């Protein structure tokens, strides 16, 4: 890195932040960056919600390395709003500008097999799993890195799965071949289906000096494997917050991570590996951290921007309790009622078509702090 990189010198307001990805996360990052006086350049393969709030845009395929290079040359730092960025794209950007979070963070979170091995290597518990490598008409081969997975299980594709896509339920070993065929015979993990008490997540942020701060735990409810609500504080014993923070900190340090990171957990007090098992990590701002926009002095978006430009981190303290609700598909048609709710903050992503289950916006109801 050159000595003008944000590792050494904080970028001043007026600098330009490049964001790979033009969705709602890019939009909220761009708003936070603009608030701090930065310019924003969005790179995306299709115009999206972030374009409306950024000064510059490039529309080109992520594989177009010349376009990526030109984009990276025109900005002072590059970041991203989604993790499925091809390695070559990240490298083409890094040749011209610092990239945060690190390439290692991208590569670790892109592949469930790599991610689980990484977490296990750090001593962080994950749901017991096997790696499904090869499958012929007659047999299925799998390696068992830890304990033999128990059924019922879930078979998840190693790559390109999100919001429950690329996952099938497997009731017993007899179903495995069919299940693997169903997800296209690609490398996968076979994971014990956890009878969790609840799902929780922590949003952490790491700065260039190695400091790591975390927001309070969110308790998340998924519907059809898509996040529906996040409630803060989570209804969990007090010792879980420091436990989750230590795990997030270990992940941040091991990945040389600068920026906001989400860690999703299953809270399962009765599981032999519990009480916290990591489901997955996301090397980016995260839907379960949207509540920080309205219930904290400094949101996950602002803290991400502060981190990648080498500024001190902002406060992660919560000043209110919060209930964030995602508005999916045509739920956004109730916008007039939501707008009339004076105890909620309303965020609309400006997407055109309200396709079923598409994240169109969210609302966060605030209430007085019940416990720190
Ligand atoms: P994922 O795409 O891995 O985050 O999965 C989406 C959702 O599916 C999670 O938030 C859980 O609600 C559910 N899920 C995923 N893995 C498991 C598991 N091993 N046991 C139980 N539920 C799971």
């Amino acid at each position: 890195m050159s000595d003008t990189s944000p590792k050494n010198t904080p970028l001043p307001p007026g600098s330009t932040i490049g964001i790979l990805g033009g969705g709602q996360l890019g939009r909220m990052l761009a708003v936070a960056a603009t608030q701090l006086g930065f310019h924003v350049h969005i790179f995306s393969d299709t115009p999206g919600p972030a374009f409306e709030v950024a000064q510059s845009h490039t529309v080109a395929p992520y594989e177009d390395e010349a376009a990526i290079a030109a984009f990276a040359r025109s900005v002072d730092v590059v970041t991203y709003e989604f993790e499925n960025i091809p390695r070559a794209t990240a490298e083409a950007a890094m040749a011209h500008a610092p990239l945060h979070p690190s390439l290692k963070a991208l590569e670790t979170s892109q592949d469930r097999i790599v991610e689980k091995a990484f977490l296990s290597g750090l001593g962080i518990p994950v749901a017991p799993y096997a790696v499904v490598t090869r499958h012929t008409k007659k047999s299925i081969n799998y390696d068992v890195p830890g304990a033999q997975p128990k059924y019922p299980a879930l078979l998840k594709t190693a790559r390109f799965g999100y919001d429950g896509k690329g996952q099938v339920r497997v009731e017993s070993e007899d179903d495995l071949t069919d299940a693997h065929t169903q997800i296209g015979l690609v490398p996968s993990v076979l994971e014990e289906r956890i009878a969790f008490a609840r799902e929780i997540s922590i949003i952490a942020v790491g700065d260039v000096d190695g400091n790591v701060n975390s927001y309070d735990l969110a308790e998340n409810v998924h519907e059809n494997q898509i996040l529906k609500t996040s409630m803060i504080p989570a209804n969990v014993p007090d010792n879980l917050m420091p436990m989750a923070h230590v795990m997030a900190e270990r992940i941040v340090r091991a990945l040389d991570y600068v920026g906001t990171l989400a860690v999703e957990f299953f809270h399962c007090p009765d599981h032999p590996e519990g009480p916290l098992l990591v489901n997955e990590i996301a090397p980016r701002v995260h839907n379960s951290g949207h509540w920080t926009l309205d219930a904290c002095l400094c949101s996950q978006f602002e803290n991400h921007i502060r981190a990648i430009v080498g500024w001190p981190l902002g406060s992660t303290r919560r000043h209110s309790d919060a209930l964030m609700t995602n508005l999916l598909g045509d739920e956004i048609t109730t916008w007039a009622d939501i707008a009339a709710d004076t105890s909620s903050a309303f965020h609309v992503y400006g997407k055109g078509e309200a396709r079923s289950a598409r994240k169109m916006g969210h609302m966060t109801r605030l209430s007085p702090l019940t416990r720190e």
Side-chain angles (χ1 to χ4, degrees):
M1 246 179 220
S2 74
D3 60 3
T4 55
S5 73
K7 186 129 199 140
N8 304 302
T9 312
L11 290 175
S15 306
T16 302
I17 294 170
I19 301 176
L20 294 165
Q24 67 268 18
L25 299 179
R27 179 180 172 107
M28 291 183 265
L29 282 169
V31 170
T34 306
Q35 183 201 319
L36 298 178
F38 294 102
H39 302 296
V40 175
H41 186 152
I42 303 286
F43 186 109
S44 175
D45 58 359
T46 43
F51 281 54
E52 281 184 7
V53 298
Q55 294 79 4
S56 317
H57 330 109
T58 300
V59 179
Y62 291 106
E63 292 73 21
D64 182 344
E65 288 178 28
I68 289 284
F71 157 75
R73 274 197 297 272
S74 74
V75 302
D76 296 293
V77 61
V78 174
T79 189
Y80 47 87
E81 60 134 35
F82 70 110
E83 55 270 44
N84 286 324
I85 292 170
R87 184 194 169 96
T89 305
E91 285 177 335
M94 286 163 70
H96 303 284
L99 175 80
H100 292 304
S102 63
L103 181 60
K104 193 172 173 193
L106 265 182
E107 291 197 314
T108 304
S109 57
Q110 277 176 359
D111 188 312
R112 290 188 197 272
I113 299 171
V114 177
E115 182 178 272
K116 284 182 185 293
F118 164 77
L119 292 167
S120 304
L122 291 179
I124 293 177
V126 296
Y129 71 105
V131 175
V132 176
T133 47
R134 202 163 60 81
H135 173 182
T136 63
K137 277 210 169 105
K138 290 216 178 75
S139 71
I140 184 152
N141 287 13
Y142 54 90
D143 302 331
V144 181
Q148 182 86 19
K150 285 199 217 87
Y151 292 94
L154 278 171
L155 186 65
K156 302 181 176 180
T157 58
R159 299 178 74 87
F160 303 117
Y162 67 95
D163 286 347
K165 296 196 173 70
Q167 291 188 18
V168 271
R169 294 160 79 92
V170 187
E171 300 309 321
S172 72
E173 187 148 4
D174 299 340
D175 299 341
L176 198 48
T177 306
D178 280 352
H180 199 217
T181 306
Q182 217 175 309
I183 60 169
L185 305 177
V186 291
S188 310
V189 295
L190 178 67
E191 189 177 291
E192 178 182 325
R193 215 184 300 155
I194 304 297
F196 49 77
R198 56 185 58 77
E199 293 188 82
I200 59 176
S201 60
I202 195 166
I203 307 291
V205 55
D207 73 7
V208 289
D209 296 320
N211 300 305
V212 184
N213 291 348
S214 295
Y215 292 93
D216 285 332
L217 294 175
E219 178 165 340
N220 303 317
V221 174
H222 293 81
E223 283 176 11
N224 302 319
Q225 290 165 305
I226 297 174
L227 183 66
K228 187 58 194 160
T229 59
S230 294
M231 181 181 81
I232 300 91
N235 184 19
V236 293
D238 288 343
N239 66 339
L240 285 205
M241 175 64 198
M243 203 184 284
H245 172 72
V246 165
M247 291 187 203
E249 195 173 43
R250 218 179 289 162
I251 294 167
V252 166
R253 300 243 157 90
L255 295 173
D256 298 322
Y257 195 96
V258 172
T260 294
L261 168 105
V263 186
E264 294 184 80
F265 299 95
F266 300 127
H267 177 216
C268 40
D270 301 328
H271 194 280
E273 310 282 322
L276 285 184
L277 303 182
V278 172
N279 176 28
E280 60 184 6
I281 58 178
R284 53 172 169 80
V285 289
H286 192 259
N287 197 168
S288 69
H290 287 3
W291 63 274
T292 63
L293 280 166
D294 302 299
C296 299
L297 191 60
C298 182
S299 72
Q300 60 163 349
F301 302 98
E302 179 179 336
N303 255 329
H304 184 78
I305 299 297
R306 282 172 167 264
I308 67 169
V309 298
W311 284 20
L313 298 178
S315 168
T316 49
R317 253 185 104 216
R318 177 170 58 87
H319 56 66
S320 301
D321 286 0
L323 178 67
M324 189 284 311
T325 303
N326 267 340
L327 299 164
L328 305 174
D330 60 14
E331 286 169 356
I332 198 70
T333 58
T334 62
W335 61 266
D337 295 335
I338 300 166
D341 175 355
T342 51
S343 58
S344 294
F346 190 20
H347 300 261
V348 184
Y349 306 149
K351 295 181 182 177
E353 199 193 337
R355 286 195 301 274
S356 156
R358 193 175 193 204
K359 290 174 180 167
M360 301 300 290
H362 72 267
M363 59 190 285
T364 302
R365 175 160 297 150
L366 297 182
S367 51
L369 210 57
T370 49
R371 63 184 164 100
E372 296 274 328

